[in-house]
Amino acid sequence: MKITVVGAGNVGATLAQRLIEKDFADIVLVDVIEGIPQGKALDMRQSANVIGFTHQITGSNSYETTAGSDIVVVTAGIARKPGMSRDELVGINARIVREVIEKSIALSPHAVFVIVSNPVDAMTYLALKVSKLPRNRVFGLSGVLDGGRLAAFIAEELAVNAPEVTPCVMGEHGSSMVVYPRFTIVGGKPLSELVDEAKQKALAERTVNGGAEIVAIMKTSSAFYAPSASVAHMVTAVATDSGAMMNCAACLEGEYGLSDVVIGVPVKLGRAGIRKIIELPLNAEELAALKRSAEAVSKTIAALPK
Ligand code: NAD
């Protein structure tokens, strides 16, 4: 198995480290900055002896070494600064994502593509159009990370362990994302039965602002530990053909009554990418919130540079 990670910045390099330490694939790290992917890959190679991994990790400024990748993860682009929304990144990141997809697909025509660059729903849509691949092979990071944030806040609030939470966050990876308390399960019970509406709202708000909270604290960087862990979780499900269910940014073609838009929904992941999109039995209010979120993404998609 060969995995390419494009973008050797905070998310990409940390993801490469997490993946090489799992030791199930060779990793190629690519970036435009001369020396950075090569240096980071060399640094990680020198940990093989103490960590005990046997696969290869290499860094490059060109794509030749990525040829024949099974999975390509796109983290290239710029990240948010304090006070910025993800949508403000659309112009510059669209140009970067287009270039990365064109160059990678030419050499890895059979790969599954996982998009991380923000605004991720619109970038996943763009990657799908540029690659001309079927929708099962191009999807993005959203709900695994947003759900991880919700689980962390629930763990704090209810004094439970985070792994006891099965979170459910869908829609845009942005200000219109939707937290579903009826489908968020804590120790076997829905969150909606465990805390009152005011508390549910507070947990949802903190989740929506989970990324901005970190940017505001760190100032010079956005989040990357939970994001890289979340992508590693998605990539592992693909690599091992596990069929695990998790929420990802996927292109809808009729599911939830929506089409030609990418938003976060529950999917089952396997070797071919998305095996199946799961349609939860949302009530009218829950479905309306998802549709509002899809409308917000459609506006960003419409603003993509032609
Ligand atoms: P970063 O600035 O640390 O790293 C980005 C890297 O991309 C840099 O090393 C840069 O040189 C590289 N790059 C730029 N243009 C490139 C190109 N054309 N080809 C190859 N590499 C190129 O940023 P980061 O914190 O790693 O975040 C990366 C992206 O992921 C950002 O857009 C960020 O908003 C996004 N992100 C998304 C999620 C999510 O949930 N979807 C979570 C975290 C971060």
Tab-separated table of all heavy atoms in Angstrom, residues 90-148:
chain	number	residue	atom	x	y	z
A	90	VAL	N	-11.223	30.318	0.102
A	90	VAL	CA	-11.689	29.598	-1.094
A	90	VAL	C	-10.884	29.902	-2.353
A	90	VAL	O	-10.515	28.984	-3.091
A	90	VAL	CB	-13.217	29.778	-1.310
A	90	VAL	CG1	-13.587	31.173	-1.758
A	90	VAL	CG2	-13.744	28.760	-2.288
A	91	GLY	N	-10.577	31.188	-2.627
A	91	GLY	CA	-9.906	31.536	-3.884
A	91	GLY	C	-8.540	30.894	-4.004
A	91	GLY	O	-8.257	30.146	-4.954
A	92	ILE	N	-7.701	31.123	-3.014
A	92	ILE	CA	-6.324	30.613	-3.079
A	92	ILE	C	-6.283	29.082	-2.993
A	92	ILE	O	-5.582	28.423	-3.757
A	92	ILE	CB	-5.428	31.288	-2.011
A	92	ILE	CG1	-3.998	30.777	-2.103
A	92	ILE	CG2	-5.921	31.147	-0.603
A	92	ILE	CD1	-2.983	31.776	-1.636
A	93	ASN	N	-7.074	28.506	-2.075
A	93	ASN	CA	-7.023	27.047	-1.931
A	93	ASN	C	-7.627	26.330	-3.137
A	93	ASN	O	-7.211	25.221	-3.475
A	93	ASN	CB	-7.684	26.612	-0.621
A	93	ASN	CG	-6.759	26.847	0.573
A	93	ASN	OD1	-5.613	27.281	0.400
A	93	ASN	ND2	-7.232	26.576	1.774
A	94	ALA	N	-8.583	26.952	-3.813
A	94	ALA	CA	-9.158	26.315	-5.012
A	94	ALA	C	-8.087	26.153	-6.086
A	94	ALA	O	-7.999	25.109	-6.738
A	94	ALA	CB	-10.324	27.145	-5.543
A	95	ARG	N	-7.253	27.175	-6.251
A	95	ARG	CA	-6.177	27.075	-7.257
A	95	ARG	C	-5.190	25.962	-6.872
A	95	ARG	O	-4.740	25.189	-7.708
A	95	ARG	CB	-5.444	28.421	-7.403
A	95	ARG	CG	-6.151	29.359	-8.381
A	95	ARG	CD	-5.398	30.655	-8.574
A	95	ARG	NE	-5.567	31.560	-7.447
A	95	ARG	CZ	-6.637	32.335	-7.262
A	95	ARG	NH1	-7.607	32.346	-8.146
A	95	ARG	NH2	-6.740	33.118	-6.206
A	96	ILE	N	-4.877	25.903	-5.572
A	96	ILE	CA	-3.918	24.889	-5.101
A	96	ILE	C	-4.500	23.480	-5.257
A	96	ILE	O	-3.853	22.575	-5.784
A	96	ILE	CB	-3.507	25.180	-3.631
A	96	ILE	CG1	-2.705	26.488	-3.561
A	96	ILE	CG2	-2.727	24.017	-3.040
A	96	ILE	CD1	-2.438	26.995	-2.146
A	97	VAL	N	-5.754	23.304	-4.823
A	97	VAL	CA	-6.364	21.968	-4.865
A	97	VAL	C	-6.503	21.490	-6.320
A	97	VAL	O	-6.223	20.333	-6.635
A	97	VAL	CB	-7.727	21.962	-4.128
A	97	VAL	CG1	-8.508	20.677	-4.400
A	97	VAL	CG2	-7.509	22.129	-2.624
A	98	ARG	N	-6.889	22.394	-7.216
A	98	ARG	CA	-7.008	22.026	-8.636
A	98	ARG	C	-5.667	21.492	-9.160
A	98	ARG	O	-5.599	20.427	-9.768
A	98	ARG	CB	-7.448	23.252	-9.456
A	98	ARG	CG	-7.509	22.999	-10.957
A	98	ARG	CD	-7.944	24.256	-11.695
A	98	ARG	NE	-9.337	24.574	-11.488
A	98	ARG	CZ	-10.351	24.008	-12.166
A	98	ARG	NH1	-10.102	23.115	-13.094
A	98	ARG	NH2	-11.602	24.352	-11.916
A	99	GLU	N	-4.592	22.231	-8.860
A	99	GLU	CA	-3.265	21.828	-9.340
A	99	GLU	C	-2.848	20.478	-8.737
A	99	GLU	O	-2.343	19.593	-9.440
A	99	GLU	CB	-2.251	22.922	-8.949
A	99	GLU	CG	-0.811	22.608	-9.311
A	99	GLU	CD	0.188	23.427	-8.470
A	99	GLU	OE1	0.058	24.661	-8.416
A	99	GLU	OE2	1.079	22.803	-7.871
A	100	VAL	N	-3.085	20.327	-7.441
A	100	VAL	CA	-2.684	19.081	-6.761
A	100	VAL	C	-3.438	17.886	-7.345
A	100	VAL	O	-2.849	16.824	-7.604
A	100	VAL	CB	-2.943	19.200	-5.233
A	100	VAL	CG1	-2.769	17.851	-4.547
A	100	VAL	CG2	-2.029	20.250	-4.605
A	101	ILE	N	-4.733	18.050	-7.579
A	101	ILE	CA	-5.530	16.934	-8.114
A	101	ILE	C	-5.056	16.587	-9.529
A	101	ILE	O	-4.841	15.416	-9.857
A	101	ILE	CB	-7.041	17.287	-8.121
A	101	ILE	CG1	-7.551	17.470	-6.685
A	101	ILE	CG2	-7.860	16.228	-8.866
A	101	ILE	CD1	-7.562	16.232	-5.837
A	102	GLU	N	-4.871	17.610	-10.367
A	102	GLU	CA	-4.450	17.331	-11.752
A	102	GLU	C	-3.123	16.568	-11.778
A	102	GLU	O	-2.971	15.589	-12.501
A	102	GLU	CB	-4.303	18.644	-12.540
A	102	GLU	CG	-5.658	19.208	-12.947
A	102	GLU	CD	-5.594	20.636	-13.508
A	102	GLU	OE1	-4.524	21.288	-13.455
A	102	GLU	OE2	-6.641	21.111	-13.964
A	103	LYS	N	-2.170	17.026	-10.949
A	103	LYS	CA	-0.852	16.384	-10.960
A	103	LYS	C	-0.899	14.988	-10.341
A	103	LYS	O	-0.219	14.082	-10.804
A	103	LYS	CB	0.160	17.252	-10.214
A	103	LYS	CG	0.513	18.505	-11.007
A	103	LYS	CD	1.600	19.310	-10.339
A	103	LYS	CE	2.046	20.446	-11.249
A	103	LYS	NZ	2.833	21.452	-10.543
A	104	SER	N	-1.691	14.802	-9.281
A	104	SER	CA	-1.676	13.485	-8.639
A	104	SER	C	-2.444	12.449	-9.442
A	104	SER	O	-2.017	11.299	-9.539
A	104	SER	CB	-2.257	13.488	-7.224
A	104	SER	OG	-2.314	14.696	-6.645
A	105	ILE	N	-3.582	12.846	-10.014
A	105	ILE	CA	-4.389	11.820	-10.693
A	105	ILE	C	-3.703	11.310	-11.953
A	105	ILE	O	-3.873	10.146	-12.340
A	105	ILE	CB	-5.812	12.315	-10.967
A	105	ILE	CG1	-6.691	11.111	-11.261
A	105	ILE	CG2	-5.882	13.317	-12.092
A	105	ILE	CD1	-8.112	11.303	-10.966
A	106	ALA	N	-2.873	12.171	-12.559
A	106	ALA	CA	-2.159	11.742	-13.766
A	106	ALA	C	-1.251	10.550	-13.458
A	106	ALA	O	-1.047	9.681	-14.302
A	106	ALA	CB	-1.334	12.911	-14.296
A	107	LEU	N	-0.731	10.486	-12.234
A	107	LEU	CA	0.208	9.421	-11.874
A	107	LEU	C	-0.416	8.333	-10.999
A	107	LEU	O	0.148	7.252	-10.844
A	107	LEU	CB	1.410	10.038	-11.144
A	107	LEU	CG	2.283	10.932	-12.034
A	107	LEU	CD1	3.090	11.904	-11.205
A	107	LEU	CD2	3.193	10.080	-12.900
A	108	SER	N	-1.560	8.634	-10.396
A	108	SER	CA	-2.227	7.643	-9.531
A	108	SER	C	-3.702	7.563	-9.915
A	108	SER	O	-4.588	7.955	-9.138
A	108	SER	CB	-2.094	8.042	-8.050
A	108	SER	OG	-0.734	8.122	-7.682
A	109	PRO	N	-3.988	7.056	-11.124
A	109	PRO	CA	-5.373	7.087	-11.620
A	109	PRO	C	-6.339	6.204	-10.836
A	109	PRO	O	-7.556	6.355	-10.971
A	109	PRO	CB	-5.233	6.601	-13.071
A	109	PRO	CG	-3.949	5.853	-13.120
A	109	PRO	CD	-3.047	6.487	-12.111
A	110	HIS	N	-5.810	5.289	-10.017
A	110	HIS	CA	-6.715	4.391	-9.293
A	110	HIS	C	-6.863	4.760	-7.815
A	110	HIS	O	-7.447	4.012	-7.039
A	110	HIS	CB	-6.225	2.943	-9.422
A	110	HIS	CG	-6.063	2.523	-10.849
A	110	HIS	ND1	-7.137	2.450	-11.716
A	110	HIS	CD2	-4.957	2.227	-11.583
A	110	HIS	CE1	-6.706	2.112	-12.918
A	110	HIS	NE2	-5.383	1.975	-12.866
A	111	ALA	N	-6.317	5.923	-7.442
A	111	ALA	CA	-6.316	6.280	-6.009
A	111	ALA	C	-7.689	6.713	-5.491
A	111	ALA	O	-8.545	7.155	-6.255
A	111	ALA	CB	-5.312	7.403	-5.765
A	112	VAL	N	-7.831	6.590	-4.176
A	112	VAL	CA	-8.952	7.205	-3.443
A	112	VAL	C	-8.413	8.538	-2.923
A	112	VAL	O	-7.294	8.595	-2.404
A	112	VAL	CB	-9.378	6.295	-2.266
A	112	VAL	CG1	-10.271	7.036	-1.279
A	112	VAL	CG2	-10.074	5.043	-2.787
A	113	PHE	N	-9.185	9.620	-3.087
A	113	PHE	CA	-8.721	10.954	-2.686
A	113	PHE	C	-9.453	11.425	-1.424
A	113	PHE	O	-10.681	11.420	-1.391
A	113	PHE	CB	-8.947	11.962	-3.826
A	113	PHE	CG	-7.966	11.790	-4.944
A	113	PHE	CD1	-8.134	10.775	-5.894
A	113	PHE	CD2	-6.844	12.601	-5.039
A	113	PHE	CE1	-7.203	10.589	-6.914
A	113	PHE	CE2	-5.907	12.420	-6.058
A	113	PHE	CZ	-6.096	11.416	-6.998
A	114	VAL	N	-8.676	11.828	-0.428
A	114	VAL	CA	-9.252	12.372	0.805
A	114	VAL	C	-8.842	13.846	0.885
A	114	VAL	O	-7.650	14.158	0.924
A	114	VAL	CB	-8.753	11.605	2.054
A	114	VAL	CG1	-9.433	12.152	3.307
A	114	VAL	CG2	-9.017	10.111	1.912
A	115	ILE	N	-9.827	14.726	0.887
A	115	ILE	CA	-9.552	16.164	0.851
A	115	ILE	C	-9.656	16.752	2.262
A	115	ILE	O	-10.619	16.462	2.990
A	115	ILE	CB	-10.555	16.893	-0.091
A	115	ILE	CG1	-10.677	16.163	-1.443
A	115	ILE	CG2	-10.157	18.358	-0.280
A	115	ILE	CD1	-9.392	16.007	-2.230
A	116	VAL	N	-8.658	17.562	2.599
A	116	VAL	CA	-8.614	18.191	3.927
A	116	VAL	C	-8.658	19.717	3.794
A	116	VAL	O	-9.259	20.413	4.618
A	116	VAL	CB	-7.346	17.753	4.700
A	116	VAL	CG1	-7.268	18.423	6.068
A	116	VAL	CG2	-7.314	16.232	4.854
A	117	SER	N	-8.040	20.259	2.740
A	117	SER	CA	-7.918	21.716	2.563
A	117	SER	C	-9.293	22.402	2.658
A	117	SER	O	-10.281	21.889	2.129
A	117	SER	CB	-7.299	22.016	1.191
A	117	SER	OG	-6.158	21.207	0.984
A	118	ASN	N	-9.323	23.534	3.300
A	118	ASN	CA	-10.569	24.272	3.525
A	118	ASN	C	-10.849	25.342	2.470
A	118	ASN	O	-9.900	25.828	1.852
A	118	ASN	CB	-10.513	24.949	4.902
A	118	ASN	CG	-11.018	24.035	6.002
A	118	ASN	OD1	-11.999	23.331	5.822
A	118	ASN	ND2	-10.349	24.069	7.151
A	119	PRO	N	-12.109	25.722	2.285
A	119	PRO	CA	-13.325	25.167	2.888
A	119	PRO	C	-13.594	23.778	2.297
A	119	PRO	O	-13.816	23.642	1.097
A	119	PRO	CB	-14.420	26.159	2.501
A	119	PRO	CG	-13.893	26.878	1.294
A	119	PRO	CD	-12.405	26.865	1.371
A	120	VAL	N	-13.576	22.761	3.165
A	120	VAL	CA	-13.413	21.383	2.679
A	120	VAL	C	-14.575	20.874	1.826
A	120	VAL	O	-14.369	20.093	0.905
A	120	VAL	CB	-13.107	20.424	3.853
A	120	VAL	CG1	-14.327	20.193	4.725
A	120	VAL	CG2	-12.547	19.108	3.329
A	121	ASP	N	-15.798	21.319	2.122
A	121	ASP	CA	-16.924	20.800	1.330
A	121	ASP	C	-16.799	21.265	-0.126
A	121	ASP	O	-16.923	20.470	-1.057
A	121	ASP	CB	-18.256	21.261	1.950
A	121	ASP	CG	-18.359	20.863	3.407
A	121	ASP	OD1	-18.619	19.686	3.678
A	121	ASP	OD2	-18.134	21.727	4.280
A	122	ALA	N	-16.504	22.560	-0.301
A	122	ALA	CA	-16.347	23.100	-1.661
A	122	ALA	C	-15.087	22.538	-2.320
A	122	ALA	O	-15.080	22.261	-3.531
A	122	ALA	CB	-16.290	24.625	-1.616
A	123	MET	N	-14.010	22.336	-1.537
A	123	MET	CA	-12.774	21.789	-2.119
A	123	MET	C	-12.981	20.326	-2.557
A	123	MET	O	-12.416	19.878	-3.558
A	123	MET	CB	-11.612	21.867	-1.111
A	123	MET	CG	-11.137	23.272	-0.809
A	123	MET	SD	-10.634	24.190	-2.270
A	123	MET	CE	-11.875	25.436	-2.317
A	124	THR	N	-13.792	19.585	-1.815
A	124	THR	CA	-14.086	18.196	-2.197
A	124	THR	C	-14.911	18.184	-3.490
A	124	THR	O	-14.671	17.374	-4.393
A	124	THR	CB	-14.846	17.474	-1.052
A	124	THR	OG1	-14.044	17.548	0.122
A	124	THR	CG2	-15.130	16.022	-1.382
A	125	TYR	N	-15.868	19.109	-3.576
A	125	TYR	CA	-16.682	19.231	-4.797
A	125	TYR	C	-15.768	19.546	-5.984
A	125	TYR	O	-15.868	18.925	-7.046
A	125	TYR	CB	-17.719	20.340	-4.603
A	125	TYR	CG	-18.668	20.521	-5.764
A	125	TYR	CD1	-19.875	19.813	-5.829
A	125	TYR	CD2	-18.367	21.396	-6.814
A	125	TYR	CE1	-20.745	19.970	-6.900
A	125	TYR	CE2	-19.235	21.558	-7.886
A	125	TYR	CZ	-20.419	20.850	-7.915
A	125	TYR	OH	-21.280	21.003	-8.972
A	126	LEU	N	-14.851	20.495	-5.779
A	126	LEU	CA	-13.919	20.885	-6.850
A	126	LEU	C	-13.043	19.690	-7.256
A	126	LEU	O	-12.857	19.416	-8.451
A	126	LEU	CB	-13.038	22.046	-6.365
A	126	LEU	CG	-11.962	22.521	-7.337
A	126	LEU	CD1	-12.582	23.248	-8.516
A	126	LEU	CD2	-10.972	23.458	-6.636
A	127	ALA	N	-12.532	18.966	-6.262
A	127	ALA	CA	-11.670	17.806	-6.543
A	127	ALA	C	-12.423	16.748	-7.346
A	127	ALA	O	-11.872	16.120	-8.252
A	127	ALA	CB	-11.155	17.217	-5.234
A	128	LEU	N	-13.694	16.579	-7.006
A	128	LEU	CA	-14.535	15.622	-7.719
A	128	LEU	C	-14.686	16.030	-9.180
A	128	LEU	O	-14.556	15.203	-10.093
A	128	LEU	CB	-15.898	15.613	-7.017
A	128	LEU	CG	-16.861	14.468	-7.236
A	128	LEU	CD1	-16.229	13.127	-6.970
A	128	LEU	CD2	-18.060	14.673	-6.303
A	129	LYS	N	-14.942	17.314	-9.420
A	129	LYS	CA	-15.131	17.803	-10.797
A	129	LYS	C	-13.818	17.745	-11.588
A	129	LYS	O	-13.813	17.327	-12.738
A	129	LYS	CB	-15.661	19.248	-10.801
A	129	LYS	CG	-17.033	19.384	-10.169
A	129	LYS	CD	-18.092	18.642	-10.964
A	129	LYS	CE	-19.322	18.373	-10.102
A	129	LYS	NZ	-20.311	17.497	-10.663
A	130	VAL	N	-12.715	18.172	-10.960
A	130	VAL	CA	-11.431	18.199	-11.663
A	130	VAL	C	-10.978	16.774	-11.988
A	130	VAL	O	-10.486	16.492	-13.082
A	130	VAL	CB	-10.359	18.935	-10.822
A	130	VAL	CG1	-8.966	18.780	-11.423
A	130	VAL	CG2	-10.712	20.408	-10.679
A	131	SER	N	-11.172	15.850	-11.054
A	131	SER	CA	-10.686	14.474	-11.247
A	131	SER	C	-11.598	13.676	-12.173
A	131	SER	O	-11.159	12.692	-12.760
A	131	SER	CB	-10.613	13.760	-9.894
A	131	SER	OG	-11.914	13.601	-9.365
A	132	LYS	N	-12.862	14.076	-12.254
A	132	LYS	CA	-13.888	13.336	-13.013
A	132	LYS	C	-14.063	11.907	-12.472
A	132	LYS	O	-14.514	11.005	-13.188
A	132	LYS	CB	-13.566	13.297	-14.509
A	132	LYS	CG	-13.495	14.679	-15.146
A	132	LYS	CD	-13.380	14.561	-16.662
A	132	LYS	CE	-13.388	15.893	-17.362
A	132	LYS	NZ	-12.217	16.731	-17.127
A	133	LEU	N	-13.709	11.681	-11.218
A	133	LEU	CA	-13.843	10.349	-10.621
A	133	LEU	C	-15.268	10.139	-10.126
A	133	LEU	O	-15.995	11.112	-9.864
A	133	LEU	CB	-12.879	10.214	-9.433
A	133	LEU	CG	-11.400	10.093	-9.775
A	133	LEU	CD1	-10.564	10.083	-8.499
A	133	LEU	CD2	-11.125	8.834	-10.584
A	134	PRO	N	-15.671	8.878	-9.946
A	134	PRO	CA	-16.974	8.631	-9.312
A	134	PRO	C	-16.947	9.127	-7.864
A	134	PRO	O	-15.881	9.174	-7.246
A	134	PRO	CB	-17.132	7.114	-9.386
A	134	PRO	CG	-15.770	6.574	-9.617
A	134	PRO	CD	-14.978	7.640	-10.322
A	135	ARG	N	-18.103	9.496	-7.347
A	135	ARG	CA	-18.148	10.181	-6.037
A	135	ARG	C	-17.655	9.321	-4.873
A	135	ARG	O	-17.262	9.852	-3.845
A	135	ARG	CB	-19.551	10.708	-5.756
A	135	ARG	CG	-20.599	9.627	-5.645
A	135	ARG	CD	-21.954	10.209	-5.282
A	135	ARG	NE	-22.961	9.173	-5.222
A	135	ARG	CZ	-24.027	9.207	-4.454
A	135	ARG	NH1	-24.259	10.258	-3.689
A	135	ARG	NH2	-24.910	8.230	-4.453
A	136	ASN	N	-17.655	8.009	-5.023
A	136	ASN	CA	-17.180	7.169	-3.913
A	136	ASN	C	-15.677	7.340	-3.674
A	136	ASN	O	-15.182	7.069	-2.583
A	136	ASN	CB	-17.487	5.684	-4.171
A	136	ASN	CG	-16.863	5.151	-5.444
A	136	ASN	OD1	-17.168	5.624	-6.531
A	136	ASN	ND2	-15.963	4.200	-5.311
A	137	ARG	N	-14.954	7.843	-4.703
A	137	ARG	CA	-13.486	7.905	-4.569
A	137	ARG	C	-12.958	9.275	-4.158
A	137	ARG	O	-11.737	9.465	-4.067
A	137	ARG	CB	-12.836	7.424	-5.868
A	137	ARG	CG	-12.803	5.885	-5.894
A	137	ARG	CD	-12.278	5.339	-7.176
A	137	ARG	NE	-10.992	5.860	-7.538
A	137	ARG	CZ	-10.503	5.819	-8.773
A	137	ARG	NH1	-11.225	5.302	-9.750
A	137	ARG	NH2	-9.310	6.303	-9.037
A	138	VAL	N	-13.843	10.234	-3.920
A	138	VAL	CA	-13.391	11.572	-3.495
A	138	VAL	C	-14.283	12.041	-2.347
A	138	VAL	O	-15.486	12.245	-2.530
A	138	VAL	CB	-13.483	12.592	-4.659
A	138	VAL	CG1	-12.894	13.928	-4.238
A	138	VAL	CG2	-12.790	12.074	-5.911
A	139	PHE	N	-13.721	12.200	-1.161
A	139	PHE	CA	-14.505	12.674	-0.020
A	139	PHE	C	-13.588	13.440	0.925
A	139	PHE	O	-12.371	13.434	0.751
A	139	PHE	CB	-15.208	11.506	0.685
A	139	PHE	CG	-14.303	10.367	1.035
A	139	PHE	CD1	-13.692	10.323	2.270
A	139	PHE	CD2	-14.027	9.369	0.117
A	139	PHE	CE1	-12.832	9.282	2.596
A	139	PHE	CE2	-13.169	8.329	0.432
A	139	PHE	CZ	-12.570	8.287	1.668
A	140	GLY	N	-14.203	14.131	1.893
A	140	GLY	CA	-13.405	15.048	2.695
A	140	GLY	C	-13.540	14.858	4.202
A	140	GLY	O	-14.465	14.192	4.695
A	141	LEU	N	-12.617	15.480	4.907
A	141	LEU	CA	-12.604	15.453	6.381
A	141	LEU	C	-13.559	16.507	6.926
A	141	LEU	O	-13.387	17.696	6.650
A	141	LEU	CB	-11.195	15.776	6.898
A	141	LEU	CG	-11.102	16.146	8.392
A	141	LEU	CD1	-11.455	14.966	9.282
A	141	LEU	CD2	-9.717	16.673	8.743
A	142	SER	N	-14.550	16.066	7.690
A	142	SER	CA	-15.412	17.029	8.392
A	142	SER	C	-15.952	16.391	9.668
A	142	SER	O	-15.426	16.618	10.756
A	142	SER	CB	-16.541	17.541	7.483
A	142	SER	OG	-17.331	16.486	6.985
A	143	GLY	N	-16.950	15.521	9.533
A	143	GLY	CA	-17.665	15.003	10.703
A	143	GLY	C	-16.827	14.214	11.693
A	143	GLY	O	-17.156	14.197	12.881
A	144	VAL	N	-15.754	13.565	11.234
A	144	VAL	CA	-14.930	12.815	12.201
A	144	VAL	C	-14.281	13.814	13.161
A	144	VAL	O	-14.258	13.611	14.383
A	144	VAL	CB	-13.849	11.956	11.493
A	144	VAL	CG1	-13.018	11.201	12.526
A	144	VAL	CG2	-14.490	10.983	10.516
A	145	LEU	N	-13.792	14.927	12.599
A	145	LEU	CA	-13.158	15.960	13.431
A	145	LEU	C	-14.202	16.716	14.269
A	145	LEU	O	-14.031	16.866	15.486
A	145	LEU	CB	-12.402	16.949	12.532
A	145	LEU	CG	-11.848	18.193	13.227
A	145	LEU	CD1	-10.837	17.819	14.309
A	145	LEU	CD2	-11.208	19.133	12.214
A	146	ASP	N	-15.279	17.164	13.616
A	146	ASP	CA	-16.291	17.922	14.362
A	146	ASP	C	-16.918	17.044	15.450
A	146	ASP	O	-17.191	17.507	16.559
A	146	ASP	CB	-17.362	18.458	13.392
A	146	ASP	CG	-16.745	19.367	12.334
A	146	ASP	OD1	-15.854	20.155	12.692
A	146	ASP	OD2	-17.137	19.280	11.151
A	147	GLY	N	-17.120	15.768	15.130
A	147	GLY	CA	-17.650	14.825	16.117
A	147	GLY	C	-16.659	14.604	17.259
A	147	GLY	O	-17.046	14.475	18.422
A	148	GLY	N	-15.381	14.567	16.926
A	148	GLY	CA	-14.345	14.406	17.960
A	148	GLY	C	-14.349	15.589	18.913
A	148	GLY	O	-14.152	15.432	20.129
